[in-house]
Structure formats: C-alpha cells, structure tokens
Amino acid sequence: MSRAFVPPDGTLGFAGRPRRLVTRTTERYEAVQQRLAEGKTLAAIRRELRLDHSTVRRFARARSLDELLAKAINWATLLDAYKPYPHQRWTDGCHSIPTSTANCAHRASPAAIQCVRRYFRPFKKPDSTLLKDPPGPPPAPRPAPKPRRVVRWIMTNPEHLAETDAAELREIRTACPELDAAARHVRDFATMMRDHRGDLLTAWLDRALADDLPALHSLVNGLRRDIDAVTAAFSTSWSSGQVEGHVTRVKLLKRMGFGRTNLDLLRRRVLHSP
C-alpha cells in the first residue's frame, strides 16, 4: 500500500492545487515503479506507457519521488539574478505584486508577473485569525552555487582552494552524504595519480564499490577490465602522450590526402614530414 504523498514547498500552483508538472511526475513515477515491481523490463514499460527510453530509465533509477520533484520544481527563472531587490522591497512593506514586477522591469529584469507572484507566494502572511503572532520577514535568499562550480571545487587541490569556497564546499558536503562520499573518492584518486601509488588502487576500487554511487561503479568496472595496465600507469612516470601525438599526426596526413593516398605514399609522407 502506497503512502499518501505530501508535496514539498514549490509544488503547489495557483489556488493551492498541485502544479501540472508535479502531478505528471508523480503519476509517471508511480506507474514506472509499479511495473518494475511486477518484473517488467524498461523496454516493455516504455512501450506500455509510450515514453522515451531515457525518461523511463530516469524514473526507474530515482531513489525517491522527492528526488525527481526537486529537479522538476527547482528550475532557474528570469528573476534569479534580481531576487535581492524585490526581497528588500517586500521587507520594506511593498506587498503589491504588480508594483514589484514594475520595479523589476525598471531595473532591466525581464521577469513576468507570474514569476514574481510565484516567488512571493511563500512569503504571504497566514490568516490573522489563525495565528496571533504573524511571522517576521523571510530570510534573504541565498543563491545556490552552480553544479559546475561545485565540481571545480571538488577537482581542485584543497590546498589551492579559497577559504570561502572551501567553507561552502564543506557545508554542501555535510548536507549531502552521497556528494561527500564522491568528493572523498575523487580526491583519493587524484592523490594516487599524483604520488604514483598504484599499490593503493585495489583498496580504492573496493571502497568505491562499497558506496551507493552508480557513476563510480561504472568507472570501477571499466578500470578492472585492464587492471594491470591501470596499475602500471599509476605506478610509473611514463606517459603515452608522445605516442598519441604521433597517431594524431598520422591521421592528419591521411586526411590531407582526401582518401586518395595509397599506403606507399602515406608511408613516405609520414617518414619525411617534419
């Protein structure tokens, strides 16, 4: 028996009804999960529900409905770059949505009135007959860092990371255990490569498989297909960069012949080219 779903903040539309995107996401998630429980394959589910294969796979791999809804309702809007200004106006007492929209337009923001109304909906005070003490002004919005920036923080040597960036990364890792485990594995991997510690590779592979990180599991399986070569690459300072450079040069000379060069002419060009 499925439990009743309580929509998180941002899933309700006008008049308190769930947004159409939220309703559709919920129905598809329940339909896919129900058919998975029946033992059906992704291809069969795709044909039955008439959905794209990538869509069915995304709903099948989701750990919970909240994970899908977080991606569905946290879209970037035209108002994101201008939120501090209307927030300050609301705190100062200007609770008129059309006025706030006009003020945003005056500051070169292309945000529509629906976007402004959706942003201010959580700020509205509840009925005074229900609460004796109305809540104070909402806290100032804090922009979330872009995923690409978080990836750059993880890939950067901690010793070279700015103090503010390091503090924000620690906060993000504390809030997300999966991201904290991924960052730990990435930094351990970088340390092995830098210090040529191929002897630590096997232990790292076991630790990566122990965590619920499907993307790293795919990497581990690929490394284990040629574990001897990977271990040698980690243990020595030799590089295949020079060989790859010669391969690129041969390919360039071959393509310069527009497919009309036979093997003898190509061999001479490779041997005599600078």
Side-chain angles (χ1 to χ4, degrees), residues 141-147 149-150 153 168 172:
R142 180 181 180 183
K146 300 295 183 181
R149 177 174 297 181
V150 178
W153 292 344
E168 193 162 1
I172 294 174

Side-chain angles (χ1 to χ4, degrees), residues 156-174:
T156 302
N157 189 330
E159 299 177 358
H160 301 159
L161 202 60
E163 184 176 353
T164 54
D165 296 342
E168 193 162 1
L169 179 59
R170 284 195 300 269
E171 184 177 349
I172 294 174
R173 293 179 60 177
T174 302

Side-chain angles (χ1 to χ4, degrees), residues 90 95 121-128 134-137:
W90 181 277
H95 297 171
R121 186 179 297 117
F123 297 166
K124 293 182 178 180
K125 296 180 180 180
D127 190 355
S128 59

